[in-house]
């Protein structure tokens, strides 16, 4: 089957810093690198490297042609990425010596994806395909509604978090993934625990503590793999992309979570975003 990803595409500029700066503080970076990024692009690359067929739906400006070419080189189908008359999205990422990060995002073309591009893409989708979205683009509710009507399996990664945006798509979802803080915020807004949400499968990621899966058989916990992190940027996206790729290959959820956990653990030992996401052979050979 195919994973259709309505997703962001960013030019990421990553600065290594001694610590995340306080308000008013000026720091000199110790290194600067540029990467393909954006939660959407990261997930597409992760799923493609996990051997899934991935069709990315998005937009860039004329300054983003290299980003599209890099997606293509990583095995992502880019035929549904529009080039529009605005600048591509950019992210400034600060990473400290413990691997923690702070990010400033300029959304650019990610918030101006033409609806005609979405409609043209999903016209080729087939019942049983996956549709995944994150909160870095426009057209999320439109896509979720279309996907549900077409018999697609609809997945949503609720980051960057917005209660209103999650609630707008909640009724169309088969799969929801969010972190512990986001789960708490959603519970405060809806009055529902993850187990009570009207979604078949909900995963709450817990960072170094692993993840909880709320599914048909209740709550199951999965431990994280202990590694020495150097950069946590993109780890959650890698987890999600791998998880969906495994599910697309009809792996049971528990097995998919374990594979995705290995991919995320390997990812945090590397500096960068989409360009350094491990491929399936690396994940299978990984022995922490």
């Amino acid at each position: 089957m195919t994973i259709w990803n309505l997703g962001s595409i960013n030019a990421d500029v990553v600065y290594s810093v001694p610590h995340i700066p306080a308000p008013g503080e000026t720091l000199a970076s110790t290194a600067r690198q540029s990467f393909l990024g954006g939660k959407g692009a990261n997930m597409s690359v992760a799923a493609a490297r996990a051997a899934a067929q991935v069709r990315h739906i998005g937009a860039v400006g004329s300054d983003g042609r290299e980003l599209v070419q890099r997606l293509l080189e990583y095995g992502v189908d880019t035929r549904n990425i529009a080039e529009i008359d605005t600048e591509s999205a950019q992210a400034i990422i600060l990473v400290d010596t413990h691997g923690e990060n702070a990010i400033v995002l300029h959304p650019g073309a990610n918030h101006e994806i033409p609806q005609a591009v979405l409609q043209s893409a999903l016209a080729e989708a087939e019942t049983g395909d996956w549709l995944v979205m994150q909160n870095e683009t426009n057209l999320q509710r439109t896509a979720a509604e279309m996907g549900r009507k077409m018999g697609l399996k609809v997945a949503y990664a609720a980051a960057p978090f917005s209660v209103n945006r999650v609630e707008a798509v909640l009724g169309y979802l088969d799969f929801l993934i969010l972190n512990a803080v986001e789960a708490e915020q959603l519970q405060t807004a809806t009055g529902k625990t993850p187990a009570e949400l009207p979604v078949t499968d909900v995963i709450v990621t817990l960072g170094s503590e692993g993840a909880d899966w709320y599914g048909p058989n209740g709550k199951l916990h999965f431990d994280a793999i202990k590694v020495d992190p150097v950069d946590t940027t993109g780890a959650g996206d890698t987890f999600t992309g791998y998880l969906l790729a495994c599910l697309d290959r009809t792996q049971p959820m528990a097995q998919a979570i374990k594979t995705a956990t290995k991919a995320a653990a390997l990812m945090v030992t590397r500096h960068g975003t989409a360009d350094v996401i491990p491929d399936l052979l690396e994940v299978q050979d990984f022995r922490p």
Side-chain angles (χ1 to χ4, degrees), residues 4-5 17 42 48 57 87 90 94-95 100 132 155 180 185 226 236-237 252 266 273 281 286:
W4 299 84
N5 183 1
V17 293
N42 294 341
I57 307 167
E87 60 187 355
Q90 303 170 25
L94 307 181
V95 180
E100 295 299 328
V132 60
Q185 291 174 325
K226 302 302 181 184
D237 304 332
L266 186 53
T273 46
L281 182 59
F286 181 43

Side-chain angles (χ1 to χ4, degrees), residues 98-99 225-232 265-270 286:
H98 301 289
I225 295 172
K226 302 302 181 184
V227 294
D228 294 322
V230 300
D231 184 356
T232 58
L266 186 53
M267 181 64 177
V268 301
T269 66
R270 302 174 173 186
F286 181 43

Side-chain angles (χ1 to χ4, degrees), residues 263-288:
L266 186 53
M267 181 64 177
V268 301
T269 66
R270 302 174 173 186
H271 289 284
T273 46
D275 299 287
V276 298
I277 292 172
D279 63 28
L280 185 57
L281 182 59
E282 291 177 293
V283 172
Q284 291 172 334
D285 289 344
F286 181 43
R287 299 292 183 268

Side-chain angles (χ1 to χ4, degrees), residues 1-278:
M1 305 301 289
T2 300
I3 297 173
W4 299 84
N5 183 1
L6 174 63
S8 55
I9 304 169
N10 297 352
D12 285 356
V13 182
V14 181
Y15 294 89
S16 299
V17 293
H19 57 268
I20 303 301
E25 182 180 11
T26 299
L27 285 179
S29 67
T30 57
R32 176 186 181 278
Q33 294 177 287
S34 297
F35 297 95
L36 167 67
K39 297 189 72 62
N42 294 341
M43 289 180 193
S44 282
V45 171
R49 286 190 158 176
Q53 180 176 332
V54 184
R55 298 279 296 267
H56 195 99
I57 307 167
V60 296
S62 60
D63 58 342
R65 293 170 186 168
E66 180 184 351
L67 302 176
V68 176
Q69 180 61 33
R70 285 157 75 181
L71 276 171
L72 184 63
E73 291 169 357
Y74 294 139
V76 177
D77 190 316
T78 62
R79 285 175 288 177
N80 300 110
I81 299 175
E83 183 177 311
I84 61 177
D85 187 21
T86 190
E87 60 187 355
S88 300
Q90 303 170 25
I92 303 299
I93 303 172
L94 307 181
V95 180
D96 70 14
T97 55
H98 301 289
E100 295 299 328
N101 63 57
I103 301 172
V104 177
L105 177 64
H106 174 65
N110 289 335
H111 280 194
E112 299 183 32
I113 301 170
Q115 185 165 329
V117 171
L118 172 66
Q119 292 171 329
S120 175
L122 292 188
E124 300 182 53
E126 299 180 358
T127 300
D129 284 353
W130 279 95
L131 170 65
V132 60
M133 301 163 291
Q134 325 79 37
N135 191 22
E136 287 187 342
T137 72
N138 60 324
L139 297 177
Q140 294 168 35
R141 178 167 182 163
T142 300
E145 187 174 1
M146 289 176 62
R148 172 52 65 91
K149 288 180 179 178
M150 295 175 63
L152 308 185
K153 291 173 284 189
V154 182
Y156 190 72
F161 189 72
S162 163
V163 166
N164 291 339
R165 287 199 166 196
V166 176
E167 289 186 312
V169 301
L170 201 57
Y172 304 105
L173 301 183
D174 299 285
F175 175 93
L176 173 66
I177 184 166
L178 64 175
N179 66 31
V181 173
E182 294 160 351
E184 184 177 345
Q185 291 174 325
L186 186 59
Q187 182 173 338
T188 299
T190 64
K192 297 181 183 294
T193 67
E196 295 170 332
L197 292 172
V199 182
T200 303
D201 294 295
V202 178
I203 291 181
V204 178
T205 59
L206 308 170
S208 62
E209 300 302 315
D212 291 332
W213 167 38
Y214 298 84
N217 296 318
K219 175 184 173 182
L220 289 176
H221 176 75
F222 296 81
D223 289 331
I225 295 172
K226 302 302 181 184
V227 294
D228 294 322
V230 300
D231 184 356
T232 58
T233 312
D237 304 332
T238 300
F239 179 93
T240 302
Y242 259 83
L243 180 62
L244 292 176
C246 291
L247 294 175
D248 186 59
R249 294 199 302 274
T250 69
Q251 284 188 10
M253 179 67 79
Q255 183 181 352
I257 291 173
K258 291 176 181 178
T259 301
T261 298
K262 288 182 66 176
L266 186 53
M267 181 64 177
V268 301
T269 66
R270 302 174 173 186
H271 289 284
T273 46
D275 299 287
V276 298
I277 292 172

